[in-house]
Amino acid sequence: MRLKALIADDELHILQNLNAVIRWERLDIEVVGLARTGEQALALATEHGPHLVLSDIRMPNMDGLRFVEALKKAQPDVRVLMITGYQDYEYARTMIRLGVSDYILKPIDYEGLETTIRELASDIRERLEERRLAFDGQSARADAAGAEAAGAEWPPRKKSREQLMKEAGEFIRRNLGRDFGLEDVADHLGISNSYFSLLFKQTYGETFVEHVTRSRIEKAKTLLVQTPYSVTEIGKAVGYADRRYFTKVFQRLTGTIPSEYRERHLTKEDRP
């Protein structure tokens, strides 16, 4: 499913870099607009209805926060990724209130940014599939009734739901150190993305992206305490090539950075 993205930043060179450096085609995302003010960004968002918006906080006239506030009123489901030079609690609290999905600090780490975009895109696609399934519910129930009348299983599958989800869990555990998405697991199981997404959330009680992220951080916590590997090495071992982004995700889920977590949980015998 091809997604649409909008980029807003008043600094022309950053705007151009965001458009050129991020491998949008590889992410199967089309950049539908570039804006240098909040007003331009809002107009483009109204015209194109993007799934994802990258916006700087500091822009003339209508700044990024006011733009996002107006955007969310009109398009509440759009996912927003803020770009800011401010590491300030008040800004973070405002972004949370506005429903911003994540933020990236300047100077921009483009590799970490692309990883964040990939995860957001996967989550967007997953939620769109769930919504489509809801709209298709009546048709699916009719198909199921017809299959039942004919004595056939619906949905048609060779493996039970429990077997499929057990294999999905094993696939995730084996591949935490590499880049993979929902589509890869569904292909491995031989089922559609939408059916996999539905089964996964029903089984695990969380989205695929949430589960993979939590699993990676749980494995990282174990490695931090039980191995002498560096934080960078552990980040790579659980699928985060960029240390700064790994630290950010780890802190979001645990409330502390990896090095502090390691220091806190090592026993006296383990300390150098």
Side-chain angles (χ1 to χ4, degrees), residues 94-174:
T94 302
M95 285 189 283
I96 291 170
R97 178 179 62 80
L98 294 176
V100 170
S101 298
D102 208 337
Y103 68 93
I104 294 290
L105 291 174
K106 293 181 179 179
I108 298 172
D109 170 16
Y110 286 96
E111 183 178 350
L113 174 58
E114 186 167 316
T115 300
T116 301
I117 293 171
R118 182 183 297 107
E119 292 183 352
L120 284 175
S122 180
D123 192 46
I124 291 168
R125 291 187 175 99
E126 189 172 345
R127 293 177 190 278
L128 288 174
E129 286 288 355
E130 290 175 357
R131 186 175 301 172
R132 186 183 67 80
L133 282 173
F135 280 118
D136 290 346
Q138 289 184 342
S139 175
R141 284 192 292 272
D143 289 340
E148 183 178 358
E153 182 183 21
W154 186 264
R157 56 187 184 272
K158 295 180 180 179
K159 299 176 181 178
S160 70
R161 165 184 179 148
E162 291 74 19
Q163 288 174 316
L164 289 170
M165 291 300 95
K166 181 179 179 181
E167 288 190 21
E170 291 172 351
F171 181 96
I172 291 169
R173 285 191 293 274
R174 289 197 309 268

Coordinates of all heavy atoms in Angstrom, one line a residue, residues 94-174:
T94 N 3.8 19.7 24.9 CA 2.9 20.2 23.9 C 2.7 19.2 22.7 O 1.6 19.0 22.3 CB 3.4 21.5 23.4 OG1 3.5 22.5 24.5 CG2 2.4 22.1 22.4
M95 N 3.8 18.6 22.3 CA 3.7 17.7 21.2 C 2.9 16.4 21.6 O 2.1 15.9 20.8 CB 5.1 17.2 20.8 CG 5.9 18.3 20.0 SD 7.4 17.7 19.2 CE 8.5 17.7 20.7
I96 N 3.1 16.0 22.8 CA 2.3 14.8 23.3 C 0.8 15.2 23.3 O -0.1 14.4 22.9 CB 2.7 14.4 24.7 CG1 4.1 13.8 24.6 CG2 1.7 13.4 25.3 CD1 4.7 13.6 26.0
R97 N 0.5 16.4 23.8 CA -0.9 16.9 23.8 C -1.5 16.9 22.4 O -2.7 16.6 22.2 CB -1.0 18.2 24.5 CG -2.4 18.8 24.6 CD -2.4 20.2 25.3 NE -1.7 21.2 24.6 CZ -2.1 21.8 23.5 NH1 -3.3 21.6 23.0 NH2 -1.3 22.8 22.9
L98 N -0.7 17.3 21.4 CA -1.3 17.4 20.1 C -1.3 16.1 19.3 O -1.8 16.0 18.2 CB -0.4 18.4 19.3 CG -0.4 19.9 19.8 CD1 0.6 20.7 19.0 CD2 -1.8 20.5 19.6
G99 N -0.8 15.1 20.0 CA -0.9 13.7 19.3 C 0.2 13.5 18.3 O 0.1 12.7 17.4
V100 N 1.4 14.1 18.5 CA 2.6 13.9 17.7 C 3.1 12.5 17.9 O 3.2 12.1 19.1 CB 3.7 15.0 17.9 CG1 4.9 14.6 17.2 CG2 3.2 16.3 17.5
S101 N 3.4 11.7 16.9 CA 3.8 10.4 17.0 C 5.2 10.2 17.5 O 5.6 9.3 18.3 CB 3.7 9.6 15.7 OG 2.4 9.6 15.2
D102 N 6.1 11.1 17.1 CA 7.5 11.0 17.5 C 8.2 12.4 17.1 O 7.6 13.2 16.4 CB 8.2 9.9 16.8 CG 9.4 9.3 17.6 OD1 9.9 10.1 18.5 OD2 9.8 8.2 17.4
Y103 N 9.5 12.5 17.5 CA 10.2 13.7 17.1 C 11.7 13.4 16.9 O 12.2 12.4 17.4 CB 10.0 14.8 18.2 CG 10.7 14.6 19.5 CD1 12.0 15.0 19.7 CD2 10.0 13.9 20.5 CE1 12.6 14.7 20.9 CE2 10.6 13.6 21.7 CZ 11.9 14.0 21.9 OH 12.6 13.8 23.1
I104 N 12.3 14.2 16.1 CA 13.7 14.0 15.7 C 14.4 15.3 16.0 O 13.9 16.4 15.7 CB 13.9 13.7 14.2 CG1 13.3 12.3 13.9 CG2 15.4 13.7 13.8 CD1 14.1 11.1 14.5
L105 N 15.6 15.2 16.7 CA 16.3 16.5 17.0 C 17.3 16.8 15.9 O 17.8 16.0 15.2 CB 17.1 16.2 18.3 CG 16.3 16.1 19.6 CD1 17.2 15.8 20.8 CD2 15.5 17.4 19.9
K106 N 17.5 18.1 15.7 CA 18.5 18.6 14.8 C 19.8 18.7 15.6 O 19.8 18.9 16.8 CB 18.2 20.0 14.3 CG 17.0 20.1 13.4 CD 16.7 21.5 12.9 CE 15.5 21.6 12.0 NZ 15.2 22.9 11.6
P107 N 21.0 18.4 14.9 CA 21.1 18.1 13.5 C 20.5 16.7 13.2 O 20.6 15.8 14.1 CB 22.6 18.1 13.3 CG 23.2 17.8 14.7 CD 22.3 18.5 15.6
I108 N 19.9 16.6 12.1 CA 19.2 15.4 11.8 C 20.1 14.2 11.5 O 21.0 14.3 10.7 CB 18.2 15.6 10.5 CG1 17.3 16.8 10.9 CG2 17.5 14.4 10.1 CD1 16.4 17.2 9.7
D109 N 19.8 13.1 12.1 CA 20.4 11.8 11.8 C 19.5 11.1 10.8 O 18.5 10.6 11.2 CB 20.5 11.0 13.1 CG 20.9 9.5 12.8 OD1 21.4 9.3 11.7 OD2 20.8 8.7 13.7
Y110 N 19.9 11.2 9.5 CA 19.0 10.7 8.5 C 18.7 9.2 8.5 O 17.7 8.7 8.2 CB 19.5 11.2 7.1 CG 19.3 12.6 6.9 CD1 20.3 13.6 7.1 CD2 18.1 13.1 6.4 CE1 20.1 14.9 7.0 CE2 17.9 14.5 6.2 CZ 18.9 15.4 6.5 OH 18.7 16.7 6.3
E111 N 19.7 8.5 9.0 CA 19.6 7.0 9.1 C 18.5 6.7 10.2 O 17.6 5.9 9.9 CB 20.9 6.3 9.4 CG 20.8 4.8 9.5 CD 22.1 4.2 9.7 OE1 23.2 4.8 9.7 OE2 22.1 2.9 10.0
G112 N 18.7 7.3 11.3 CA 17.7 7.1 12.4 C 16.3 7.6 12.0 O 15.3 7.0 12.3
L113 N 16.3 8.7 11.2 CA 15.0 9.3 10.8 C 14.3 8.3 9.8 O 13.1 8.0 9.9 CB 15.2 10.6 10.1 CG 14.0 11.2 9.4 CD1 12.8 11.5 10.4 CD2 14.3 12.6 8.7
E114 N 15.0 7.7 8.9 CA 14.5 6.7 8.0 C 13.9 5.5 8.7 O 12.9 5.0 8.4 CB 15.5 6.3 6.9 CG 14.9 5.4 5.9 CD 15.8 5.3 4.7 OE1 16.4 6.3 4.2 OE2 15.9 4.1 4.2
T115 N 14.6 5.1 9.8 CA 14.1 4.0 10.6 C 12.8 4.3 11.2 O 11.9 3.5 11.3 CB 15.2 3.6 11.6 OG1 16.4 3.2 11.0 CG2 14.7 2.4 12.5
T116 N 12.7 5.5 11.8 CA 11.5 6.0 12.4 C 10.4 6.0 11.4 O 9.2 5.6 11.7 CB 11.7 7.4 13.1 OG1 12.7 7.3 14.0 CG2 10.4 7.8 13.7
I117 N 10.6 6.6 10.2 CA 9.6 6.7 9.2 C 9.1 5.3 8.8 O 7.9 5.0 8.6 CB 10.1 7.4 8.0 CG1 10.4 8.9 8.3 CG2 9.2 7.3 6.8 CD1 11.1 9.7 7.2
R118 N 10.1 4.3 8.7 CA 9.7 3.0 8.3 C 8.8 2.3 9.3 O 7.8 1.7 9.0 CB 11.0 2.1 8.1 CG 10.7 0.7 7.7 CD 11.9 -0.2 7.6 NE 12.8 0.3 6.6 CZ 14.0 0.9 6.9 NH1 14.3 1.1 8.2 NH2 14.8 1.3 5.9
E119 N 9.1 2.6 10.6 CA 8.2 2.0 11.7 C 6.8 2.7 11.7 O 5.8 2.0 11.8 CB 8.9 2.2 13.0 CG 10.1 1.3 13.2 CD 10.8 1.4 14.6 OE1 10.3 2.3 15.3 OE2 11.7 0.7 14.8
L120 N 6.8 4.0 11.5 CA 5.5 4.7 11.4 C 4.7 4.2 10.2 O 3.5 4.0 10.3 CB 5.7 6.2 11.4 CG 6.1 6.9 12.7 CD1 6.4 8.4 12.4 CD2 5.0 6.8 13.7
A121 N 5.4 4.0 9.1 CA 4.7 3.6 7.9 C 4.1 2.2 8.1 O 3.0 1.9 7.6 CB 5.6 3.6 6.7
S122 N 4.8 1.3 8.7 CA 4.3 0.0 9.0 C 3.1 0.0 9.8 O 2.1 -0.7 9.6 CB 5.4 -0.9 9.6 OG 5.0 -2.2 9.9
D123 N 3.1 0.9 10.9 CA 2.0 1.0 11.8 C 0.8 1.6 11.0 O -0.3 1.2 11.2 CB 2.4 1.9 12.9 CG 1.4 1.8 14.1 OD1 1.0 0.7 14.4 OD2 1.0 2.9 14.6
I124 N 1.0 2.6 10.2 CA -0.1 3.2 9.4 C -0.7 2.2 8.5 O -1.9 2.0 8.5 CB 0.5 4.4 8.5 CG1 0.9 5.5 9.4 CG2 -0.6 4.8 7.5 CD1 1.7 6.6 8.7
R125 N 0.1 1.4 7.8 CA -0.5 0.3 6.9 C -1.3 -0.7 7.7 O -2.3 -1.2 7.3 CB 0.7 -0.3 6.1 CG 1.3 0.6 5.1 CD 2.3 -0.2 4.2 NE 2.8 0.7 3.2 CZ 4.0 1.3 3.2 NH1 4.8 1.2 4.3 NH2 4.4 2.1 2.2
E126 N -0.7 -1.0 8.9 CA -1.4 -2.0 9.7 C -2.8 -1.5 10.1 O -3.8 -2.2 10.0 CB -0.6 -2.3 10.9 CG -1.1 -3.5 11.8 CD -0.1 -3.9 12.9 OE1 1.1 -3.4 12.8 OE2 -0.4 -4.6 13.8
R127 N -2.9 -0.3 10.5 CA -4.1 0.3 11.0 C -5.1 0.5 9.8 O -6.3 0.3 10.0 CB -3.9 1.6 11.7 CG -3.1 1.4 13.0 CD -2.8 2.7 13.7 NE -1.9 2.5 14.9 CZ -2.3 2.1 16.1 NH1 -3.5 1.8 16.3 NH2 -1.4 1.9 17.0
L128 N -4.6 0.8 8.6 CA -5.4 1.0 7.4 C -6.0 -0.4 7.1 O -7.2 -0.5 6.6 CB -4.6 1.6 6.3 CG -4.3 3.0 6.4 CD1 -3.4 3.5 5.2 CD2 -5.5 3.9 6.4
E129 N -5.2 -1.4 7.2 CA -5.7 -2.8 6.9 C -6.8 -3.2 7.9 O -7.8 -3.8 7.5 CB -4.5 -3.8 7.0 CG -3.6 -3.7 5.8 CD -4.2 -4.3 4.5 OE1 -5.3 -4.8 4.6 OE2 -3.5 -4.2 3.5
E130 N -6.6 -2.9 9.1 CA -7.6 -3.2 10.1 C -8.9 -2.4 9.8 O -10.0 -3.0 9.9 CB -7.2 -2.8 11.5 CG -6.0 -3.7 12.1 CD -5.5 -3.2 13.4 OE1 -5.9 -2.1 13.9 OE2 -4.6 -3.9 13.9
R131 N -8.8 -1.2 9.4 CA -10.0 -0.4 9.0 C -10.7 -1.0 7.8 O -11.9 -1.1 7.7 CB -9.6 1.0 8.8 CG -10.8 2.0 8.5 CD -10.3 3.4 8.4 NE -9.6 3.8 9.6 CZ -9.0 5.0 9.7 NH1 -8.9 5.8 8.6 NH2 -8.3 5.3 10.8
R132 N -9.9 -1.4 6.8 CA -10.5 -2.0 5.6 C -11.2 -3.3 6.0 O -12.3 -3.6 5.4 CB -9.4 -2.3 4.6 CG -9.9 -2.8 3.3 CD -8.8 -3.1 2.3 NE -8.0 -4.2 2.8 CZ -8.4 -5.5 2.6 NH1 -9.5 -5.8 2.0 NH2 -7.6 -6.5 3.0
L133 N -10.6 -4.1 6.9 CA -11.2 -5.3 7.3 C -12.6 -5.1 7.9 O -13.6 -5.8 7.8 CB -10.3 -6.1 8.3 CG -9.2 -6.9 7.6 CD1 -8.3 -7.4 8.7 CD2 -9.7 -8.0 6.8
A134 N -12.7 -4.0 8.7 CA -13.9 -3.6 9.4 C -15.0 -3.3 8.3 O -16.1 -3.7 8.5 CB -13.7 -2.5 10.3
F135 N -14.6 -2.5 7.3 CA -15.6 -2.2 6.2 C -16.0 -3.4 5.4 O -17.1 -3.5 4.9 CB -14.9 -1.1 5.3 CG -15.0 0.3 5.8 CD1 -13.8 1.0 6.1 CD2 -16.2 0.9 6.1 CE1 -13.9 2.2 6.6 CE2 -16.3 2.2 6.6 CZ -15.1 2.8 6.9
D136 N -15.0 -4.4 5.3 CA -15.3 -5.6 4.5 C -16.0 -6.7 5.4 O -16.2 -7.8 4.9 CB -14.0 -6.2 4.0 CG -13.4 -5.3 2.9 OD1 -14.2 -4.4 2.4 OD2 -12.3 -5.5 2.5
G137 N -16.3 -6.3 6.6 CA -16.9 -7.3 7.5 C -18.1 -8.0 7.0 O -18.3 -9.2 7.1
Q138 N -19.1 -7.2 6.5 CA -20.3 -7.8 6.0 C -20.1 -8.8 4.9 O -20.7 -9.9 4.9 CB -21.3 -6.7 5.6 CG -21.8 -5.9 6.7 CD -22.8 -4.9 6.2 OE1 -22.9 -4.6 5.0 NE2 -23.7 -4.4 7.1
S139 N -19.2 -8.5 4.0 CA -18.9 -9.4 2.9 C -18.2 -10.6 3.4 O -18.5 -11.7 2.9 CB -18.0 -8.6 1.9 OG -17.6 -9.5 0.8
A140 N -17.3 -10.5 4.4 CA -16.6 -11.6 4.9 C -17.6 -12.6 5.6 O -17.4 -13.8 5.5 CB -15.5 -11.1 5.9
R141 N -18.5 -12.0 6.3 CA -19.5 -12.9 7.0 C -20.4 -13.6 6.0 O -20.7 -14.8 6.3 CB -20.4 -12.0 8.0 CG -19.6 -11.6 9.2 CD -20.6 -11.0 10.2 NE -21.1 -9.7 9.8 CZ -20.5 -8.6 10.1 NH1 -19.4 -8.5 10.7 NH2 -21.1 -7.4 9.6
A142 N -20.7 -13.0 4.9 CA -21.5 -13.6 3.9 C -20.7 -14.8 3.3 O -21.2 -15.9 3.0 CB -21.9 -12.6 2.8
D143 N -19.4 -14.5 3.0 CA -18.5 -15.6 2.5 C -18.4 -16.7 3.5 O -18.4 -17.9 3.1 CB -17.1 -15.0 2.2 CG -17.1 -14.1 1.0 OD1 -18.1 -14.2 0.2 OD2 -16.2 -13.3 0.8
A144 N -18.3 -16.4 4.7 CA -18.1 -17.5 5.7 C -19.4 -18.3 5.8 O -19.3 -19.5 6.0 CB -17.8 -16.8 7.1
A145 N -20.6 -17.7 5.7 CA -21.8 -18.4 5.8 C -21.9 -19.3 4.6 O -22.4 -20.5 4.7 CB -23.0 -17.4 5.8
G146 N -21.5 -18.8 3.4 CA -21.6 -19.7 2.2 C -20.6 -20.9 2.3 O -20.9 -22.0 1.9
A147 N -19.4 -20.6 2.9 CA -18.4 -21.7 3.0 C -18.9 -22.7 4.0 O -18.8 -23.9 3.8 CB -17.1 -21.1 3.5
E148 N -19.6 -22.2 5.1 CA -20.1 -23.2 6.1 C -21.2 -24.0 5.5 O -21.3 -25.2 5.8 CB -20.6 -22.4 7.3 CG -21.1 -23.2 8.4 CD -21.6 -22.4 9.6 OE1 -21.5 -21.2 9.5 OE2 -22.1 -23.0 10.6
A149 N -22.1 -23.4 4.7 CA -23.1 -24.2 4.1 C -22.6 -25.3 3.1 O -23.2 -26.3 3.0 CB -24.1 -23.2 3.3
A150 N -21.4 -25.0 2.5 CA -20.8 -25.9 1.6 C -19.9 -26.9 2.3 O -19.3 -27.8 1.7 CB -20.0 -25.2 0.5
G151 N -19.8 -26.7 3.7 CA -18.9 -27.6 4.4 C -17.5 -27.3 4.4 O -16.6 -28.2 4.6
A152 N -17.1 -26.1 4.0 CA -15.7 -25.7 3.8 C -15.3 -24.8 5.0 O -16.1 -24.2 5.7 CB -15.5 -25.0 2.5
E153 N -13.9 -24.8 5.2 CA -13.4 -23.9 6.3 C -13.2 -22.5 5.8 O -12.9 -22.3 4.7 CB -12.0 -24.5 6.7 CG -11.4 -23.7 7.9 CD -10.0 -24.2 8.2 OE1 -9.4 -24.9 7.3 OE2 -9.5 -23.9 9.3
W154 N -13.5 -21.5 6.7 CA -13.3 -20.1 6.3 C -12.7 -19.4 7.5 O -13.2 -19.5 8.6 CB -14.7 -19.5 5.9 CG -14.5 -18.1 5.4 CD1 -14.6 -16.9 6.1 CD2 -14.1 -17.7 4.1 NE1 -14.3 -15.9 5.3 CE2 -14.0 -16.3 4.1 CE3 -13.8 -18.4 3.0 CZ2 -13.6 -15.6 3.0 CZ3 -13.4 -17.7 1.8 CH2 -13.4 -16.4 1.8
P155 N -11.7 -18.5 7.3 CA -11.0 -18.3 6.0 C -10.2 -19.6 5.7 O -9.8 -20.2 6.6 CB -10.1 -17.1 6.2 CG -10.1 -16.9 7.7 CD -11.2 -17.6 8.3
P156 N -10.1 -19.9 4.4 CA -9.3 -21.1 4.0 C -7.9 -21.0 4.5 O -7.2 -20.0 4.2 CB -9.5 -21.1 2.5 CG -9.7 -19.7 2.1 CD -10.5 -19.1 3.2
R157 N -7.4 -22.0 5.2 CA -6.0 -22.0 5.6 C -5.6 -23.4 5.9 O -6.4 -24.3 6.3 CB -5.8 -21.1 6.8 CG -6.7 -21.4 8.0 CD -6.5 -20.4 9.1 NE -7.2 -20.7 10.3 CZ -8.5 -20.3 10.5 NH1 -9.1 -19.7 9.6 NH2 -9.1 -20.7 11.6
K158 N -4.3 -23.7 5.8 CA -3.8 -25.0 6.0 C -3.4 -25.2 7.5 O -3.5 -26.3 8.0 CB -2.5 -25.3 5.2 CG -2.8 -25.3 3.7 CD -1.5 -25.5 2.9 CE -1.8 -25.5 1.4 NZ -0.5 -25.7 0.6
K159 N -3.1 -24.1 8.2 CA -2.7 -24.2 9.6 C -3.7 -23.5 10.5 O -4.4 -22.6 10.0 CB -1.3 -23.5 9.8 CG -0.2 -24.2 9.0 CD 1.1 -23.4 9.1 CE 2.2 -24.1 8.3 NZ 3.5 -23.4 8.4
S160 N -3.7 -23.9 11.7 CA -4.6 -23.3 12.7 C -4.1 -21.9 13.0 O -3.0 -21.6 12.8 CB -4.8 -24.2 13.9 OG -3.6 -24.1 14.7
R161 N -5.0 -21.1 13.6 CA -4.7 -19.8 14.1 C -3.5 -19.9 15.1 O -2.6 -19.1 15.0 CB -5.9 -19.2 14.7 CG -5.7 -18.0 15.5 CD -7.0 -17.5 16.1 NE -6.8 -16.4 17.0 CZ -7.7 -15.4 17.2 NH1 -8.9 -15.5 16.5 NH2 -7.5 -14.4 18.0
E162 N -3.6 -20.9 16.0 CA -2.6 -21.0 17.0 C -1.2 -21.3 16.4 O -0.2 -20.8 16.8 CB -3.0 -22.1 18.0 CG -4.2 -21.7 18.9 CD -5.5 -21.8 18.2 OE1 -5.6 -22.4 17.1 OE2 -6.5 -21.1 18.6
Q163 N -1.2 -22.2 15.4 CA 0.0 -22.6 14.7 C 0.6 -21.4 14.0 O 1.8 -21.1 14.1 CB -0.2 -23.7 13.7 CG -0.5 -25.0 14.3 CD -0.9 -26.1 13.3 OE1 -1.7 -25.8 12.4 NE2 -0.3 -27.3 13.4
L164 N -0.2 -20.6 13.3 CA 0.2 -19.4 12.6 C 0.9 -18.4 13.5 O 2.0 -17.9 13.3 CB -0.9 -18.8 11.8 CG -1.4 -19.5 10.6 CD1 -2.7 -18.9 10.1 CD2 -0.4 -19.5 9.5
M165 N 0.2 -18.1 14.7 CA 0.8 -17.2 15.6 C 2.0 -17.7 16.3 O 2.9 -16.9 16.7 CB -0.3 -16.7 16.6 CG -1.4 -15.9 15.9 SD -0.9 -14.4 15.1 CE -0.6 -14.9 13.4
K166 N 2.1 -19.0 16.6 CA 3.3 -19.5 17.2 C 4.5 -19.4 16.2 O 5.6 -19.0 16.6 CB 3.1 -21.0 17.5 CG 4.3 -21.7 18.1 CD 4.0 -23.1 18.5 CE 5.3 -23.8 19.1 NZ 5.1 -25.2 19.4
E167 N 4.2 -19.6 14.9 CA 5.3 -19.5 13.9 C 5.7 -18.0 13.8 O 6.8 -17.7 13.6 CB 4.9 -20.0 12.6 CG 4.8 -21.5 12.6 CD 4.6 -22.1 11.2 OE1 4.9 -21.3 10.2 OE2 4.2 -23.2 11.0
A168 N 4.7 -17.1 13.9 CA 5.0 -15.7 13.8 C 5.9 -15.2 14.9 O 6.8 -14.5 14.7 CB 3.7 -14.9 13.8
G169 N 5.5 -15.7 16.2 CA 6.4 -15.3 17.3 C 7.8 -15.9 17.2 O 8.8 -15.2 17.5
E170 N 7.9 -17.1 16.7 CA 9.3 -17.6 16.5 C 10.0 -16.9 15.4 O 11.3 -16.6 15.6 CB 9.1 -19.1 16.1 CG 8.6 -20.0 17.2 CD 8.3 -21.4 16.7 OE1 8.3 -21.6 15.5 OE2 8.1 -22.3 17.6
F171 N 9.4 -16.5 14.3 CA 10.0 -15.7 13.3 C 10.5 -14.4 13.8 O 11.7 -14.0 13.5 CB 9.0 -15.4 12.1 CG 9.6 -14.7 11.0 CD1 10.1 -15.3 9.9 CD2 9.7 -13.3 11.0 CE1 10.6 -14.6 8.8 CE2 10.2 -12.5 10.0 CZ 10.7 -13.2 8.8
I172 N 9.7 -13.7 14.6 CA 10.1 -12.4 15.2 C 11.3 -12.6 16.1 O 12.3 -11.8 16.0 CB 8.9 -11.8 16.0 CG1 7.8 -11.4 15.0 CG2 9.4 -10.6 16.8 CD1 6.5 -11.0 15.6
R173 N 11.3 -13.6 17.0 CA 12.4 -13.8 17.9 C 13.7 -14.1 17.2 O 14.8 -13.6 17.6 CB 12.1 -15.0 18.9 CG 11.1 -14.6 19.9 CD 11.0 -15.7 21.0 NE 10.4 -16.9 20.5 CZ 9.1 -17.2 20.4 NH1 8.2 -16.2 20.9 NH2 8.6 -18.3 19.9
R174 N 13.6 -14.9 16.1 CA 14.8 -15.2 15.3 C 15.4 -14.0 14.6 O 16.6 -14.0 14.3 CB 14.5 -16.3 14.3 CG 14.3 -17.7 14.9 CD 14.4 -18.8 13.8 NE 13.6 -18.5 12.6 CZ 12.3 -18.9 12.5 NH1 11.7 -19.6 13.4 NH2 11.7 -18.6 11.4

